[in-house]
Amino acid sequence: MEIGQLRDQTCCCMELLAPEIGDCSLLVDECLADARKSFRDSFICQFRPEAWAKITFVYHKHFLDTGCDVSVAEIIAEVVRDSIKSNRMDFLTMSLAQHKQFQKTHPDGHGKEAKPCLSVVKSKS
């Protein structure tokens, strides 16, 4: 997806998210322009339009609520910081470590399959 297409789809998502705003194209343009100060277009376009609609909404809402300018980069950094504190990090890193361990022991991608650690047991009722 290109930045222009992302902008158009984000505007549509914003209209669904906050129809009371009306024409939200200026808000989306400002948010994406701020994001482009810190991020490459290729990174920006990895986020779905629905996510950019929410980011745009939060970006402007907090500015209006506080009068302080908070950049899109600061918003995304704060979200990443918060997600690092989550319990899923343990699960995700364990999964990554197991995948790397398998690659290390089977560098050609072939070989005997590793035995699963868990097995399914069927009970007779």
Side-chain angles (χ1 to χ4, degrees), residues 46-88:
Q46 288 181 18
F47 289 85
R48 295 174 45 185
E50 297 87 354
W52 277 112
K54 290 178 183 175
I55 291 168
T56 300
F57 186 75
V58 167
Y59 175 72
H60 291 287
K61 176 185 176 298
H62 289 294
F63 172 74
L64 292 173
D65 287 349
T66 65
C68 296
D69 190 18
V70 177
S71 72
V72 172
E74 291 172 314
I75 293 170
I76 292 176
E78 198 61 33
V79 170
V80 170
R81 254 187 243 112
D82 181 59
S83 67
I84 288 174
K85 296 175 188 172
S86 76
N87 294 332
R88 271 187 59 74

Side-chain angles (χ1 to χ4, degrees), residues 94-107 114 117:
M94 178 55 79
S95 177
L96 177 64
Q98 288 174 342
H99 179 72
K100 285 187 169 204
Q101 181 182 27
F102 181 80
Q103 286 179 332
K104 184 178 174 183
T105 58
H106 299 91
C117 299

Side-chain angles (χ1 to χ4, degrees), residues 4 17 23 25 35 42 56 75 85 88 90 115 118 120:
L17 179 66
D23 182 20
S25 58
S42 59
T56 300
I75 293 170
K85 296 175 188 172
R88 271 187 59 74
D90 184 42
K115 292 183 180 178
L118 301 175
V120 177

